[in-house]
């Protein structure tokens, strides 16, 4: 939903011709005329009826009779504390911005994201569907208890046939009645709910009056199921009126067998039954799409409903404990009829609460389903639920839900469904608490709810208590619900969801990253924990894909930044041309499957832009310490977008979702011979600038020839054996002796070792070449190098080669970079570079059955080939006039070597201590 505004912000601006936008996001969920329900009719009435349900008439005696008054009050208090914690979270989220249709689903999905929100929304929808079926099955049982043909008691009328088929028929007829009411719209539902509210209130009023007006009496108890009523003497329960002895007897617990199931009751089982009847606090929130002002109505109406039902439950608990003995409470859960002034009114209340609960569940389910369909999270399977009437009523979602409820009625397992429904409700409640907790912990400036009676402590306690209740009520259903939520989240993650909703996870990550970045003190850095932090400068990513992936392998869990310099001057431009480019570069990172940040800048020259990026990229202790550049040569650039499977684009140039393809966002590669954005002088100057800033430098040449399996994310297993060759000596300044132990040489060893630790390079063999002077005895230097490698825990093959003949300086110690600085003639330097190149190529070809050459000339050979070569990069000359000659020497040195990294390190990176 690309056009959707943030749920945390609801700007009240004026539209065209001064027309105000509809408040609370009304325009986002249908027509504004659909929002016509008040707080009382839209929230208070359905919430009260859902929280009462059938429990208020048929389970008061069950709870008080088994648990006693004190434990019953404790249970009620704990249950309402759990519900109140969730209500506080609902109030906070509902008063923090526009609330559209979908109720709890909308709140969760716009906070936790489409993956979690969609999965919990679907579960909450299924809970309402099953809840509707449970209410209807309970209503059918209540009707048959009085009018069924198989009634065992003396008070039954025995006019309705019973059996599975008949029960299904009665349930289907009642479902048809409920479906007609919900299909005709929220207005008719509100009027029907108000009528049932009056009936339930009248029935409860008659019960409360009967406790006072009716005198003591004996009430005959029905025979227990499974017993022969004619052979068992009649049993009686006693209604004593207000009696202190009765209250004293009912204070403590007296758990016994449930006469309807034969199961022994415990604190947990009784608490579960009580809590099952109180889980209707979202009935008003589900109607958010039809409320005039949901941000006000939802918190106010829900709090009123919770307080009202809490008061009624406490009053009924006290009155029952004062007036009814334990036998009556435990053996006749419907004792309200026996003590009522007019028993039919109690039946009317029972039927009205069950009918209203089923209506509330069905219409709530349809609104959740319509919101899910509008968000298009589950594709075409929910497409019929998008259909709405001219007045904004989602009758398609109502019919869809009606069909699912009918399927649930076929199962007919009331007790099993009741536990699953409650657990699914609790999952949704926990998610609401988690949403509010996440917003509070994220400390986002836009989280400013007008309802302030909450804290992260209440949210966290609400999450914990909901999870605890789930496993207390039904461990199997709780585990299954969490598993289902995980599977649905994985499905939605695979499908991809809207990114314009805003993810609280991003806010939480920002909060935590900022906190830990402040604790990352650069003054406490130690060489033991050094890791490469790379800045890769990329001109056009079409020609740099292999280098992007190679640099990703070299980072070893460190920082990796893709830098790009756009040429221009902001003074002469109407707007910043860099900002619109970030989306394309981030898509590039995703498709290339590299873990990199993107940093773009605008500069008059590439060199100045590189300086900017070297100075300001990163944050705190996470800043690049190594600059990576592609090599500056005359090789024609390749377009790797055309050959890389990850970048294969549709012919029409758009990707899934309608966004432009990368082929249209990045220009074609530079044509051979066309002008470049960077001159050879500035290229070498950029290298020199990085070294002056104490940054390591890596120049990458011919990375397009790297074996594809070595750039994959897998293990890199291949039938072809590969070598990684390391030359830790400046071949343009041969001296023999222990030159391999300088800082730059050790840096080369470290980078090659890091690469060998990557799974794709595990099977490649690391070879280190030790250069000996023409008069140096073999063996001694090799022993010292092996000892050093052992201390550094580097496993590599060491090979000695003679190098430096004709370039020896005797006892004269040359200044570093003497060849490139012009200490010798250009012809001699060129000859040395050619000689060094031939030496490296000869070692690449050793043992392969062929002569020297790059990988292109050895692909068909059976022996090992060199997949990558590490060379020592000399420091650029001090005189800028000699930069072109320096670059020419590097080109000669690395010519036809295949994939090559020329590396110059300036910081110590190895350590032999623990």
């Amino acid at each position: 939903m690309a056009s959707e505004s943030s749920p945390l912000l609801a700007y009240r601006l004026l539209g065209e011709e001064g027309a105000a936008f509809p408040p609370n996001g009304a325009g986002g969920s249908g027509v504004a005329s659909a929002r016509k329900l008040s707080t009382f009719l839209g929230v208070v009435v359905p919430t009260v009826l859902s929280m009462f349900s059938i429990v208020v008439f048929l389970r008061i005696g069950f709870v008080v009779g088994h648990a006693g008054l004190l434990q019953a009050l404790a249970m009620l208090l704990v249950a309402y504390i759990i519900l109140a914690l969730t209500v506080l979270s609902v109030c906070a989220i509902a008063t923090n911005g526009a609330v559209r249709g979908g109720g709890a689903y909308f709140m969760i999905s716009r906070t936790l994201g489409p993956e979690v929100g969609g999965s919990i929304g679907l579960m909450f929808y299924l809970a309402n569907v099953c809840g509707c079926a449970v209410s209807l099955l309970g209503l059918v049982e209540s009707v048959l208890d009085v009018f069924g043909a198989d009634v065992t008691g003396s008070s039954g009328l025995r006019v309705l046939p019973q059996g599975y088929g008949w029960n299904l028929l009665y349930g289907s007829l009642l479902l048809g009645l409920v479906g007609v009411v919900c299909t005709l719209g929220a207005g008719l539902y509100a009027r029907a709910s108000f009528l049932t509210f009056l009936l339930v209130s009248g029935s409860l009023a008659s019960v409360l009056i009967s406790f006072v007006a009716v005198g003591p009496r004996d009430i005959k108890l029905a025979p227990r199921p499974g017993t022969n009523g004619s052979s068992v003497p009649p049993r009686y329960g006693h209604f004593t009126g207000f009696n202190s002895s009765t209250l004293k007897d009912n204070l403590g617990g007296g758990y016994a067998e449930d006469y309807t199931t034969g199961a022994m009751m415990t604190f947990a089982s009784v608490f579960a039954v009580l809590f099952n009847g109180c889980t209707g606090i979202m009935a008003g929130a589900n109607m958010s799409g039809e409320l005039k002002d949901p941000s006000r109505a939802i918190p106010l109406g829900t709090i009123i409903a919770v307080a009202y039902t809490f008061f009624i439950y406490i009053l009924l608990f006290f009155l029952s404990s004062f007036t009814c003995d334990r036998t009556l409470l435990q053996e006749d859960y419907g004792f309200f009829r026996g003590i009522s002034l007019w028993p039919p009114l109690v039946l009317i209340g029972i039927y009205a609460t069950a009918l209203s609960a089923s209506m509330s569940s069905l219409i709530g389910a349809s609104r959740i389903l319509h919101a899910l369909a509008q968000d298009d999270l589950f594709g075409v399977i929910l497409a019929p639920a998008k259909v709405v009437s001219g007045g904004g009523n989602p009758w398609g979602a109502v019919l869809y839900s009606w069909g699912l409820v009918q399927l649930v009625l076929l199962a007919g397992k009331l007790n099993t469904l009741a536990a699953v429904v409650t657990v699914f409700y609790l999952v949704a409640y926990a998610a609401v608490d988690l949403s509010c907790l996440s917003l509070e912990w994220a400390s986002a400036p836009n989280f400013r709810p007008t309802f302030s009676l909450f804290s992260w402590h209440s949210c966290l306690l609400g999450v914990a208590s909901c999870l605890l209740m789930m496993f207390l009520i039904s461990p199997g259903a709780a585990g299954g619900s969490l598993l289902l939520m995980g599977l649905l989240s994985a499905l939605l993650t695979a499908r991809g969801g809207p990114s314009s909703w805003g993810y609280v996870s991003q806010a939480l990550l920002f909060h935590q990253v900022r906190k830990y970045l402040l604790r990352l003190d650069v003054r406490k850095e130690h060489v033991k924990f050094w890791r490469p932090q790379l800045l890769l400068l990329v001109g056009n990513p079409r020609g740099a894909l292999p280098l992007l992936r190679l640099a990703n392998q070299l980072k070893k869990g460190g920082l990796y930044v893709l830098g790009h310099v756009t040429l221009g001057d902001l003074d002469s431009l109407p707007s910043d041309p860099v900002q619109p480019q970030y989306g394309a570069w981030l898509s590039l990172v995703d498709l290339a499957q590299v873990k990199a940040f993107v940093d773009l800048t605008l500069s008059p020259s590439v060199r100045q832009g590189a300086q900017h990026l070297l100075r300001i990229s990163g944050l705190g202790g996470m800043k690049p310490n190594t600059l990576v550049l592609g090599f500056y040569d005359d090789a024609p650039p390749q377009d790797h977008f055309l050959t890389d499977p990850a970048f294969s684009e549709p012919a029409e140039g758009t990707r899934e979702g309608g966004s432009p393809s990368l082929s249209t966002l990045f220009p074609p590669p530079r044509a051979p011979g066309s002008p470049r954005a960077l001159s050879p002088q500035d290229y070498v100057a950029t290298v020199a600038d990085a070294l002056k800033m104490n940054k390591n430098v890596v120049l990458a040449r011919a990375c397009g020839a790297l074996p594809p399996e070595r750039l994959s994310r897998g293990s890199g297993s291949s039938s072809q054996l590969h070598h990684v060759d390391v030359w830790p000596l400046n071949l343009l300044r041969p001296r023999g002796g222990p030159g391999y132990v300088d800082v730059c040489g050790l840096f080369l060893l470290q980078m090659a070792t890091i690469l060998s630790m990557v799974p794709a390079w595990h099977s490649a063999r690391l070879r280190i070449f030790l250069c000996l002077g023409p008069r140096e005895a073999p063996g001694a230097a090799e022993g010292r190098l092996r000892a050093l490698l052992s201390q550094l825990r580097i496993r590599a093959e060491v090979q000695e080669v003679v190098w430096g003949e004709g370039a020896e300086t005797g006892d004269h110690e040359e200044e570093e970079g003497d060849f490139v600085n012009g200490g010798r003639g250009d012809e001699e330097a060129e000859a040395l570079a050619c000689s060094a190149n031939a030496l490296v190529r000869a070692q690449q070809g050793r043992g392969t059955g062929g002569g020297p050459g790059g990988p292109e000339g050895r692909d068909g050979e059976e022996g090992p080939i060199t997949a990558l070569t590490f060379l020592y990069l000399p420091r650029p000359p001090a005189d800028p006039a000699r930069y072109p000659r320096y670059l020419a020497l590097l080109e000669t040195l690395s010519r036809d070597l295949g994939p090559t990294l020329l590396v110059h390190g300036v910081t110590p990176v190895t350590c032999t201590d623990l």
Side-chain angles (χ1 to χ4, degrees):
M1 297 173 63
S3 63
E4 183 173 74
S5 61
S6 168
L8 298 180
L9 298 174
Y11 296 107
R12 303 295 182 260
L13 303 177
L14 291 179
E16 296 180 2
E17 301 180 0
F21 292 138
N24 296 308
S29 60
V31 294
S33 61
R35 291 183 174 271
K36 55 188 177 183
L37 295 185
S38 64
T39 301
F40 181 74
L41 291 179
V43 181
V44 175
V45 169
T47 305
V48 166
L49 293 176
S50 296
M51 295 189 70
F52 277 156
S53 65
I54 209 168
V55 172
V56 72
F57 290 102
L58 297 181
R59 288 296 180 266
I60 295 295
F62 169 83
V63 175
V64 177
H66 287 288
L69 177 62
L70 296 181
Q71 292 188 36
L73 291 176
M75 290 179 184
L76 186 68
L77 185 62
V78 172
Y80 268 77
I81 287 176
I82 295 174
L83 297 176
L85 293 174
T86 302
V87 169
L88 296 180
S89 299
V90 170
C91 295
I93 297 177
T95 59
N96 190 54
V99 180
R100 301 182 181 177
Y105 158 70
F106 182 87
M107 300 178 190
I108 297 168
S109 62
R110 269 42 173 198
T111 303
L112 300 182
E115 294 83 5
V116 177
S119 61
I120 294 178
L122 184 61
M123 294 173 63
F124 194 39
Y125 166 72
L126 294 176
N128 278 274
V129 167
C130 295
C132 179
V134 167
S135 298
L136 291 173
L137 290 173
L139 177 56
V140 169
E141 287 190 7
S142 300
V143 171
L144 294 178
D145 282 345
V146 178
F147 300 99
D150 299 335
V151 174
T152 57
S154 58
S155 59
L157 300 182
R158 300 183 177 88
V159 295
L160 295 177
Q162 292 182 246
Y164 171 78
W166 288 105
N167 292 1
L168 179 61
L169 176 62
Y170 303 146
S172 300
L173 292 175
L174 292 171
L175 176 60
L177 173 63
V178 171
V180 168
V181 173
C182 296
T183 303
L184 294 179
L188 180 61
Y189 162 75
R191 289 189 288 271
S193 295
F194 182 63
L195 176 61
T196 56
F197 179 78
L198 293 178
L199 293 175
V200 171
S201 299
S203 179
L204 283 176
S206 73
V207 170
L208 295 176
I209 294 173
S210 298
F211 276 112
V212 179
V214 173
R217 63 175 62 177
D218 296 334
I219 300 174
K220 187 177 180 180
L221 304 177
R224 288 202 172 198
T227 60
N228 187 352
S230 61
S231 61
V232 177
R235 298 180 305 136
Y236 294 90
H238 305 287
F239 177 79
T240 64
F242 286 92
N243 190 302
S244 58
S245 299
T246 303
L247 175 63
K248 184 177 180 181
D249 293 338
N250 288 330
L251 284 178
Y255 296 102
E257 286 186 357
D258 178 8
Y259 74 88
T260 61
T261 63
M264 184 66 187
M265 293 294 100
T266 63
F267 182 91
S269 58
V270 174
F271 184 39
V273 170
L274 173 64
F275 194 83
N276 280 339
C278 303
T279 54
I281 56 174
M282 291 293 183
N286 290 341
M287 302 299 297
S288 58
E290 280 79 15
L291 298 173
K292 292 179 181 177
D293 187 2
S295 293
R296 178 180 180 274
I298 291 175
L300 179 61
T302 305
I303 290 175
I304 291 175
V306 170
Y308 174 72
T309 56
F310 181 68
F311 172 76
I312 295 298
Y313 274 122
I314 285 183
L315 188 59
L316 291 174
F317 281 2
F318 270 107
L319 292 176
S320 300
S321 301
F322 263 107
T323 59
C324 302
D325 70 353
R326 194 175 293 271
T327 301
L328 178 62
L329 295 175
Q330 288 185 345
E331 298 292 334
D332 186 3
Y333 299 152
F335 72 94
F336 282 176
R337 288 172 54 201
I339 68 171
S340 177
L341 292 171
W342 189 45
L345 193 57
V346 176
L347 286 179
I348 293 174
I350 294 173
Y351 300 157
T353 54
L355 196 62
S356 66
S358 62
M359 283 194 302
S360 175
S361 297
L362 182 61
I363 200 167
S366 66
R367 271 44 182 182
I368 297 170
L369 182 65
H370 180 64
L372 283 167
Q374 289 289 90
D375 291 338
D376 201 24
L377 295 182
F378 292 93
V380 296
I381 191 173
L382 297 184
K386 295 181 180 180
V387 180
V388 295
S389 65
N393 180 42
W395 61 270
V398 175
L399 294 180
Y400 199 110
S401 303
W402 174 86
L404 288 182
V405 174
Q406 185 64 60
L407 291 177
V408 176
L409 288 177
L410 292 173
K413 300 293 184 180
L414 179 59
N415 293 333
T416 303
L417 286 176
V420 173
V421 168
T422 304
V423 167
F424 277 19
Y425 277 137
L426 286 172
V427 170
Y429 298 167
V432 171
D433 288 320
L434 182 61
S435 300
C436 190
L437 175 66
S438 302
L439 290 170
E440 180 71 9
W441 272 352
S443 302
N446 284 316
F447 183 58
R448 300 187 298 270
T450 56
F451 182 87
S452 58
L453 298 178
F454 77 100
S455 69
W456 68 265
H457 305 84
S458 65
C459 300
L460 184 60
L461 187 59
V463 173
S465 58
C466 287
L467 293 177
L468 177 63
M469 280 305 306
M470 286 168 52
F471 286 94
L472 182 63
I473 292 174
S474 176
S481 65
L482 296 179
L483 178 61
L484 177 60
M485 183 181 70
L487 294 175
L488 290 174
S489 299
L491 172 65
L492 292 174
T493 301
R495 289 195 76 248
S499 59
S500 60
W501 294 357
Y503 292 80
V504 75
S505 59
Q506 296 297 307
L508 289 170
L509 287 172
F510 177 89
H511 187 268
Q512 294 301 309
V513 168
R514 181 195 63 85
K515 180 173 70 173
Y516 286 111
L517 272 176
L518 290 172
R519 297 174 62 180
L520 187 60
D521 192 344
V522 296
R523 296 168 295 181
K524 298 179 181 179
E525 289 182 351
H526 193 278
V527 66
K528 287 189 298 185
F529 308 111
W530 180 90
R531 66 183 72 230
Q533 305 199 79
L534 308 180
L535 170 62
L536 172 60
L537 289 185
V538 181
N540 189 337
R542 287 178 174 271
L545 275 181
L547 179 55
L548 256 67
R549 293 193 171 107
L550 180 63
N552 186 64
Q553 294 173 331
L554 285 170
K555 71 180 187 302
K556 187 53 180 175
L559 179 68
Y560 181 21
V561 180
L562 291 182
H564 174 72
V565 179
T566 299
L567 297 180
D569 187 355
L570 196 58
D571 290 339
S572 60
L573 296 172
S575 62
D576 183 10
V578 169
Q579 295 301 322
Q581 299 178 25
Y582 272 95
W585 284 87
L586 293 174
S587 298
L588 170 72
V589 169
D590 294 337
L591 289 177
Q593 295 184 315
V594 297
K595 298 178 180 179
F597 297 95
V598 173
D599 215 342
L600 311 179
T601 188
L602 180 70
S603 179
S605 69
V606 175
R607 180 185 177 187
Q608 292 183 22
Q611 291 177 359
H612 297 164
L613 294 174
L614 282 169
R615 291 186 185 280
I616 66 175
S617 290
L619 191 64
M622 295 187 65
K623 297 183 73 68
N625 56 29
T626 303
L627 173 67
V628 183
L629 296 170
F631 194 77
Y632 197 99
D633 57 16
D634 295 327
Q638 303 177 44
D639 191 350
H640 293 284
F641 280 14
L642 302 178
T643 57
D644 195 299
F647 288 81
S648 57
E649 303 286 358
E652 62 271 18
T654 58
R655 289 178 289 154
E656 184 178 355
S659 58
S661 69
L662 290 183
S663 298
T664 63
L665 298 176
F666 293 110
R670 175 182 55 83
S674 60
R676 300 189 180 192
L678 184 64
S679 66
Q681 186 79 15
D682 281 350
Y683 178 81
V684 179
T686 301
V687 175
D689 293 341
L691 294 176
K692 291 176 184 177
M693 296 180 189
N694 204 37
K695 308 291 185 183
N696 310 298
V697 176
V698 177
L699 306 182
R701 184 172 190 181
C703 288
L706 281 166
E709 66 270 19
R710 298 300 176 187
L711 296 178
S712 67
R713 297 169 61 89
S715 61
S717 58
S718 172
S719 59
Q720 175 65 63
L721 296 177
H722 290 131
H723 287 153
V724 175
D725 291 350
V726 183
W727 296 80
L729 175 68
N730 185 357
L731 294 177
L732 297 183
R733 182 177 172 262
R735 291 188 303 176
Y740 57 86
V741 295
D742 67 356
V743 170
C744 185
L746 292 175
F747 186 84
L748 250 73
L749 292 175
Q750 183 79 325
M751 296 300 287
T753 304
I754 288 173
L755 187 64
S756 68
M757 298 167 68
V758 177
W761 291 86
H762 277 170
S763 61
R765 297 176 182 175
L766 189 62
R767 297 195 303 178
I768 300 176
F769 290 93
L770 176 60
C771 297
L772 303 178
R775 295 186 297 273
E776 187 173 358
E782 180 182 352
R784 294 195 299 271
L785 179 58
R786 290 189 182 278
L788 175 64
L789 295 178
S790 177
Q791 287 183 315
L792 297 177
R793 290 86 61 202
I794 297 175
R795 300 178 61 183
E797 174 186 345
V798 178
Q799 293 190 12
E800 291 184 333
V801 294
V802 177
W803 173 241
E805 189 170 5
E808 275 298 307
T809 61
D811 295 330
H812 174 64
E813 287 292 333
E814 295 185 85
E815 177 185 349
E816 183 180 355
D818 190 43
F819 276 95
V820 297
N821 275 301
R824 305 223 176 169
D826 290 351
E827 293 183 0
E828 186 176 354
E830 182 71 20
L832 181 62
C834 289
S835 180
N837 175 263
L839 174 68
V840 175
R841 293 177 64 195
Q843 296 303 318
Q844 287 183 339
R846 284 181 58 188
T848 63
E856 295 83 359
R858 303 192 302 273
D859 283 346
E861 299 174 6
E862 299 179 357
I865 64 173
T866 298
L868 184 62
T869 301
F870 284 81
L871 293 181
Y872 190 117
L873 174 67
R875 185 179 285 270
D879 183 7
R882 304 194 65 81
Y883 283 175
R885 176 176 178 271
Y886 169 79
L887 187 58
L889 288 176
L890 296 183
E891 197 282 330
T892 302
L893 176 64
S894 57
R895 184 183 302 158
D896 295 332
L897 296 184
T900 304
L901 297 181
L902 293 99
V903 182
H904 191 96
V906 295
T907 55
V909 295
T910 58
C911 181
T912 59
D913 298 330
L914 288 177

